[in-house]
Amino acid sequence: KTDLWWMARILALLFGQGWADEVPLGHLEPFGSWAPGEAVEERSDVPTPEEFFKTYSTADGGYGRPVIFRGAASGWKAIDWTNDDDLLRRFGSERVTGVEHNLKETRAGGQVDGMETFRDFLKAYNNSDIYMVSSVPKKMMKEVQFLPCMTCGGYLNFLDTHNFWMGRGGSKS
């Protein structure tokens, strides 16, 4: 039994919950871990806008149905963003709006001072516990595309913001 299990038992005794044989399913576990998983459909193609709408967007009583489109971004220009030197050369002067302390996204670490451009971030992130959550810089937006099945039917009208998340690895959100 883990330390968290024992802590839950002690708290249960202190607060009058008694000594149950088992803690409730999912207690002190990641959100949703108690529920059995569902298989998610994977496709190697991208459906037409009409098929996407009928099969995924409005499925399950309007809640939608998850799907993975394997390789769908392979033709995008952004797929070539593979190394820091190239990003620095091409986008270093672009402004960024949010670089935060810590590698776990809690929004409690606060903003990192002096991080105004993508260059500032790229020069620092591999050697410190910071990550970036910024609007996608304007020059980079030219290389970010949408799947054709999402470019009609009003889907883009519901996109309120676009974020660019980047860290050195080992981060959690």
Side-chain angles (χ1 to χ4, degrees), residues 45-115:
D45 66 329
V46 177
T48 65
E50 181 179 11
E51 181 186 2
F52 179 75
F53 180 78
K54 289 179 178 176
T55 307
Y56 304 105
S57 184
T58 59
D60 194 19
Y63 290 102
R65 184 173 140 214
V67 61
I68 297 171
F69 302 122
R70 292 275 176 215
S74 61
W76 295 1
K77 291 180 181 180
I79 205 75
D80 293 329
W81 298 347
T82 56
N83 67 69
D84 289 357
D85 291 335
D86 186 49
L87 289 170
L88 186 62
R89 180 181 56 77
R90 295 173 59 210
F91 307 113
S93 62
E94 293 294 295
R95 300 199 56 77
V96 294
T97 56
V99 177
E100 300 180 15
H101 291 282
N102 300 325
L103 291 180
K104 184 172 182 178
E105 193 253 339
T106 63
R107 300 292 163 104
Q111 294 290 311
V112 178
D113 292 330
M115 296 286 158

Side-chain angles (χ1 to χ4, degrees), residues 99 115 117-125 131-132 166:
V99 177
M115 296 286 158
T117 65
F118 197 35
R119 173 178 285 104
D120 297 330
F121 175 75
L122 287 170
K123 293 289 187 181
Y125 85 108
Y131 68 97
M132 180 179 66
M166 186 172 176

Side-chain angles (χ1 to χ4, degrees), residues 1 25 28 34 39 56 75 98 100-101 109 116 118 122 138 142 152-153 165:
K1 308 243 182 205
L25 190 60
L28 298 175
W34 56 270
Y56 304 105
E100 300 180 15
H101 291 282
E116 295 180 14
F118 197 35
L122 287 170
K138 287 182 181 180
K142 295 175 184 172
C152 68
W165 292 60

